[in-house]
Amino acid sequence: MAMNPKKNPMPTQPPEVRAHNFEEVATGYTEEIALAEAQRCLNCKNTPCISGCPVNINIPGFIGKIKESDFAGAVQIILQSSALPAVCGRVCPQETQCEAKCTMGVKFEPVAIGRLERFVADWYLAQPARTSSTDTPNGHKVAIVGSGPAGLTCAGDLARKGYDVTVYEALHKAGGVLVYGIPEFRLPKHIVAQGIESLRRSGVQFETNVIIGKTLTIDDLFEMGFEAVFIGSGAGLPKFLNIPGESLKGVYSANEFLTRANLMQAYREHPVTPIMKGGKVAVVGGGNVAMDAARTALRLGADEVNIIYRRSMEELPARKEEVEHVIEEGIHFHLLSSPVEILGYNDENDARNPKNGFVTGVRCQKMELGEPDAKGRRRPVPIPGSEYTLETDTVIIAVGTSPNPLIKNTTAGLEVNPRGGIIVDEAGLTNRDGVYAGGDAVTGSATVITAMGAGKRAAKAIDEKLMHSES
Amino acid sequence: MYQILSKKSLNPTVTQMEIEAPLVAGKAKPGQFIILRVDMDGERIPLTIAGTDPARGAVKIIFQIVGATTEKLNRKEAGEAIEDFAGPLGVATETQGIEKVCIIGGGVGCAIAMPIAEEFHRLGAEVTSIIGFRNKDLVILEEEFKACSDRLIVMTDDGSYARAGNVTVPLGELLEAGEEFDRIITIGPLIMMKFVTLTAKPYGVPVTVSMNPIMIDGTGMCGGCRLTLNRDGQKVTKFACVDGPDFDGYEIDFDEAMSRSRMYFDFERAAHKETCNLFAAQKEG
């Protein structure tokens, strides 16, 4: 049988259809496609793909099970390393991780590992729910702060080992960035809910509406009998551009825009939480969050969506697959452009005009690429006299987030770096005994899978510490 | 779910409730706030804490029925429960080193001003309270203020009760007569807080204002509650939810805050009307 040099394409909703709904864009491999794609795996002895996975999933192992049509077996292999395969199969940047190391990728396209992971995870979710096997309770209590990818992974690993785990979440719904940030059309909320439900069945308790640092402090948790605490509170603090006009009505941080749309369901027909819909929308930034915001705005009924990014297409940090979707959906890129001012309506004759204070446009400056910076990305340099105005009704700022300072400010002696990230060692231990941290709270904005990897390492370290203290 | 322990109507548009939330009651300090959702799929709204009873695990909230969510909340009775109740959020009101304080509340803002006046009274400070309302029917908490104030001045805009005029009138008189407050703390409509600040300015009295902008999460995550401060000639952005809600009145850009507070005005008005119609239809049916 001739080897197919290309990945089996992912079935998707047509762009002209999906631009008007919040249903998932990629509909997933069928069994037939999955079996064909699995055949492309060479089952290399040295397993380079595993080294590219932040949680070290036995990739050739699970693909081998797919080849045998043993999907249950494939899932069990993945679950040994990852509690949320249906999430990772959708949102991991496989092209820079496992798939980047795939031997097939040297001459051809790599095996579509992410799509196969999603296929078996979705197959598993469609089966009747069952309680996953956990060790007998060991009587040790661990508290997890935040129910995003880092916290959920840490909770899952510890619960499986018999720990009594409680997850504290500040918002009214568990899931962290998976529910407030990543849109429905990329990660359906029922997928996240099922992941959380399976953790509940394995004994993890979830306490929503508890803001650690406010409702309870880290020290309170130790007094309550927890022996270790894992902080996975995320990078909740939005960055702004610090240019004039940023407080005009119609300017959102991506966090606010996406939280309104996702968590507060402003996309529904009769929303209870308002959001600006329609008109022209400009999104500033080039990451996955910027792409999510732009596509959400489009689905909310925008007439025109523009993405403003200060470097070129080549440097765009968003996943290639997402950028392709963005272009297919008719969203425009304004590359090598940087906003210098947001313009607003101001009726000088009528101070009470309700239009006053709303956004009318963004003043941008053209850039050219100069010398590479410390990270090797070419630095954008402003071109004098190149300013132009882009008309818009809404501006969404998606230029990153910083770690949320709530916990740092209320935890005596917890050390953070100058950017606000909690300082940890390789295992995730902070400078406070028994306090571990991981994910964006440590690194600043990164990816779901990196956070999961950190949660996993911390769970291992917590287990080693508490088991050691017992003997 | 969080149980409603008690409910009391303070005036036709203002309701007081005690909610059972022991963790919040154990930690809350005057000036802090909570975020609640009345029901599943409901909106998150911030409300300042109007008092606590930690022994009963009770947190007191006082709210004005202004929109769809407060309308729905007001339809709940004692014994029923609301979906979510999270807090305490924000930074507590600064009380250190203040021996003589003037507390100025306007309308439902008096609900937040009252526990702050009580706290200063408990700490032994000399408390002057000035509370203002549109008319006689809207006066709330007069007895409570009387109990914790060394001097209480009640004002109504239309003169239908007590003295006629705005709260800035007696404030100006006191300052002009040489009264020396360590701090003025004002809570109420933005326009009132702006003019309290302007009235105090010539006398150089520090003014603390309590801001209540539109917010969602209350933990610093969305930035929707951002305010512009003019600090030493520089514009500084602060988040009311984590940096406030108290701010230096002289630094706040009130005009911007007023503009931002009206961002969803049309939406909110329509949603409120729809909710009222819904309740009316249920009553008939």
Side-chain angles (χ1 to χ4, degrees), chain B residues 89-255:
Chain B
L89 297 160
V91 182
T93 298
E94 173 73 55
T95 51
Q96 290 229 319
I98 299 169
E99 286 166 9
K100 194 171 170 177
V101 67
C102 182
I103 309 284
I104 304 177
V108 74
C110 294
I112 308 152
M114 194 260 297
I116 295 169
E118 274 178 345
E119 178 71 1
F120 277 107
H121 180 69
R122 192 182 67 79
L123 293 170
E126 188 187 323
V127 179
T128 297
S129 297
I130 305 173
I131 55 176
F133 306 91
R134 284 215 312 279
N135 61 50
K136 185 184 179 209
D137 293 340
L138 300 179
V139 175
I140 57 170
L141 303 168
E142 188 180 359
E143 287 308 312
E144 285 84 348
F145 271 104
K146 211 174 265 173
C148 64
S149 308
D150 297 276
R151 172 169 46 190
L152 173 65
I153 301 166
V154 183
M155 305 292 291
T156 52
D157 292 358
D158 65 355
S160 55
Y161 182 73
R163 206 179 147 187
N166 293 324
V167 292
T168 48
V169 176
L171 173 67
E173 290 167 1
L174 289 171
L175 292 171
E176 190 54 36
E179 200 79 46
E180 287 179 2
F181 297 114
D182 296 324
R183 173 92 40 107
I184 295 166
I185 298 174
T186 180
I187 301 141
L190 287 165
I191 189 80
M192 183 197 90
M193 296 196 286
K194 175 181 173 176
F195 279 95
V196 165
T197 305
L198 289 174
T199 305
K201 198 171 185 181
Y203 306 91
V205 189
V207 178
T208 298
V209 298
S210 178
M211 304 298 284
N212 184 19
I214 295 167
M215 63 177 69
I216 304 178
D217 61 290
T219 62
M221 195 189 84
C222 85
C225 66
R226 63 193 182 276
L227 299 161
T228 302
L229 273 56
N230 295 301
R231 182 172 287 175
D232 308 323
Q234 297 280 323
K235 281 193 188 295
V236 183
T237 300
K238 291 280 175 191
F239 294 172
C241 66
V242 287
D243 301 316
D246 289 358
F247 290 93
D248 178 346
Y250 296 117
E251 291 184 346
I252 289 282
D253 183 338
F254 282 105
D255 294 341

Side-chain angles (χ1 to χ4, degrees), chain A residues 172 209 214-215 220 236-238 240 246-253 255-256 259-260 264-265 271-272 274 404, chain B residues 2 27 37 41-44 84-85 87-88 90 214 216 219-222 224 226 228 256 259-260 263-264 267:
Chain A
H172 58 262
N209 294 328
K214 289 288 181 185
T215 319
D220 289 337
L237 208 68
F240 285 93
E246 242 173 338
S247 287
L248 289 164
K249 289 174 281 191
V251 182
Y252 291 98
S253 72
N255 262 8
E256 180 181 2
T259 300
R260 283 178 182 273
M264 306 311 297
Q265 302 180 291
V272 292
N404 195 313
Chain B
Y2 300 79
K27 278 279 194 301
R37 284 201 317 160
D41 300 333
E43 180 188 26
R44 292 171 68 93
D84 297 294
F85 194 86
I214 295 167
I216 304 178
T219 62
M221 195 189 84
C222 85
R226 63 193 182 276
T228 302
E256 180 191 286
S259 171
R260 285 184 67 81
M263 178 157 171
Y264 300 109
F267 177 94

Side-chain angles (χ1 to χ4, degrees), chain A residues 24-39:
Chain A
E24 196 168 14
V25 168
T27 50
Y29 274 179
T30 59
E31 193 174 317
E32 196 188 353
I33 306 176
L35 288 171
E37 184 63 28
Q39 292 301 334

Side-chain angles (χ1 to χ4, degrees), chain B residues 63-86:
Chain B
F63 58 93
Q64 188 163 23
I65 304 143
V66 286
T69 300
T70 43
E71 185 72 51
K72 275 197 279 184
L73 180 58
N74 193 48
R75 306 273 169 157
K76 294 272 182 188
E77 300 299 333
E80 292 186 83
I82 58 171
E83 191 68 29
D84 297 294
F85 194 86

Side-chain angles (χ1 to χ4, degrees), chain A residues 168-183:
Chain A
Y168 291 99
E169 168 56 48
L171 292 170
H172 58 262
K173 196 170 177 187
V177 73
L178 306 176
V179 299
Y180 76 73
I182 303 178

Side-chain angles (χ1 to χ4, degrees), chain A residues 415-436:
Chain A
E415 281 179 13
V416 299
N417 65 32
R419 292 182 308 280
I422 300 170
I423 298 173
V424 296
D425 68 11
E426 259 175 37
L429 180 65
T430 69
N431 67 315
R432 288 239 351 219
D433 191 34
V435 180
Y436 298 76

